[in-house]
Amino acid sequence: MFRKRHAAVAAALAVTLVSAGCSASQERQLQQRGVAARRQGDYTFVPRYTEPRKNRDRPAEQLLRENGVLEELSEYGTSLLKLPKNIPVLGQSCGQVNLSWDADGQRIVMCYEMVTFLAQMFEAADKKLDKPQGVTPKPEQYEKQVIGALNGMFFHEMGHGVIDIYDLPSTGREEDAVDQLAAVILIADGDTGQDYLRDMAAAFALLGGVEEVSIPADARYSDEHSLSEQRFYNLLCYQYGAHPEKYSDLVPEPLPKERAEQCPEEYDKAASAWSRLLQPHLKG
């Protein structure tokens, strides 16, 4: 279900990003040069699973291992970026629900607790009659939806990583900027990545309901992240903006028509901005 996106997808993403700021002739040259991703340098994302600390974390570890999640994400990131060093991608028990860029350790950490939390959240949503708009989980889809949401969250954290290791500028909220990068990457990945983007958006729609009853309002509004409900709409906006005809079903529900009209420009601006930032660091 999950393994082996082709390296050509990474090359297509490089073209998508870089061509966002290029002329038509330059874009054609990039497309010719980017038929397949080529490794440049010896540094990679390095996947590693650690032994779960508690038995309750073992199903999450098993899901990641059996689907090659860390391996696939590491391979994809390596095929995309010229890395200045090896970057570990760790699956581990953390004692909390999290998936993060560890700036001190220069690594991405995917907590088993996050995998479990997402699975439980999608399952619980299926049992509710009042599901958020755009969220329709089914039992046989839980695993796929968890993997899809983890894809988006991984690329979000990879965004923090590239800002850190390449010392990139970030105007506005960094959290919003790296959500945009995750969306651009998944959209460039074709149907599979675009399905994963919907899963990521659905996770935020559900998370918003959890946070509303578990986190005080002042803590939600003052957090460095946008509200989860806002992230849901933003991600759908980027998806619609990239392919309005393909995703016309998103309008007017769950994506309001007034917002949808702005989405092509929003997506183009996000892709163009990340193009300029990442161009020197992209392979292909």
Side-chain angles (χ1 to χ4, degrees):
M1 170 171 56
F2 179 72
R3 284 187 181 274
K4 300 303 179 190
R5 295 176 196 155
H6 300 296
V9 175
L13 173 61
V15 171
T16 297
L17 285 170
V18 178
S19 64
C22 292
S23 67
S25 62
Q26 289 172 319
E27 181 175 347
R28 285 193 293 271
Q29 292 173 6
L30 286 166
Q31 289 172 337
Q32 292 168 359
R33 287 163 39 200
V35 171
R38 298 182 297 277
R39 293 186 181 276
Q40 301 177 16
D42 299 326
Y43 296 112
T44 67
F45 287 94
V46 182
R48 183 165 67 89
Y49 300 91
T50 63
E51 184 70 12
R53 296 177 192 167
K54 298 183 179 180
N55 287 334
R56 68 187 180 202
D57 292 338
R58 293 192 182 279
E61 181 210 19
Q62 184 178 4
L63 183 150
L64 295 178
R65 283 186 182 273
E66 289 183 351
N67 290 279
V69 173
L70 299 190
E71 294 88 344
E72 175 72 11
L73 290 168
S74 297
E75 181 180 343
Y76 189 83
T78 298
S79 69
L80 178 65
L81 297 169
K82 302 173 188 175
L83 295 171
K85 62 179 76 175
N86 286 334
I87 304 294
V89 178
L90 301 182
Q92 66 178 47
S93 296
C94 303
Q96 61 179 333
V97 175
N98 202 7
L99 200 168
S100 64
W101 166 251
D102 175 6
D104 293 334
Q106 297 282 282
R107 60 185 185 172
I108 295 174
V109 178
M110 185 177 291
C111 300
Y112 297 142
E113 292 89 344
M114 173 62 83
V115 181
T116 301
F117 174 76
L118 289 171
Q120 292 173 343
M121 190 168 63
F122 280 121
E123 183 177 3
D126 185 52
K127 297 175 181 178
K128 291 178 61 177
L129 296 178
D130 55 337
K131 300 178 182 65
Q133 291 178 339
V135 180
T136 56
K138 299 177 182 178
E140 65 272 18
Q141 293 181 329
Y142 296 158
E143 185 173 288
K144 174 193 171 296
Q145 289 178 301
V146 169
I147 291 172
L150 290 172
N151 262 248
M153 293 175 181
F154 173 87
F155 291 125
H156 171 102
E157 298 305 331
M158 191 181 80
H160 287 303
V162 299
I163 288 173
D164 185 5
I165 64 177
Y166 300 133
D167 193 25
L168 301 179
S170 177
T171 61
R173 291 209 271 192
E174 184 174 316
E175 296 295 342
D176 292 340
V178 295
D179 268 359
Q180 291 172 350
L181 177 62
V184 170
I185 289 174
L186 292 174
I187 289 166
D189 198 12
D191 290 341
T192 297
Q194 290 161 30
D195 285 346
Y196 288 164
L197 182 57
R198 293 281 280 265
D199 295 329
M200 181 187 183
F204 282 123
L206 295 172
L207 186 59
V210 173
E211 292 170 340
E212 188 173 8
V213 298
S214 61
I215 300 177
D218 58 346
R220 294 183 70 207
Y221 298 145
S222 63
D223 192 73
E224 68 270 22
H225 299 84
S226 293
L227 296 176
S228 292
E229 296 91 337
Q230 291 176 302
R231 299 173 78 178
F232 166 71
Y233 286 110
N234 288 342
L235 293 174
L236 293 187
C237 182
Y238 303 139
Q239 186 160 54
Y240 174 79
H243 300 291
E245 293 184 3
K246 183 176 181 180
Y247 293 109
S248 60
D249 65 305
L250 292 175
V251 182
E253 292 185 0
L255 189 63
K257 184 176 182 294
E258 294 76 12
R259 176 68 185 277
E261 291 173 351
Q262 305 173 47
C263 292
E265 182 178 2
E266 288 189 39
Y267 170 76
D268 288 345
K269 284 183 176 180
S272 178
W274 275 107
S275 164
R276 296 184 183 188
L277 290 173
L278 285 182
Q279 183 172 359
H281 312 292
L282 292 173
K283 292 180 178 179

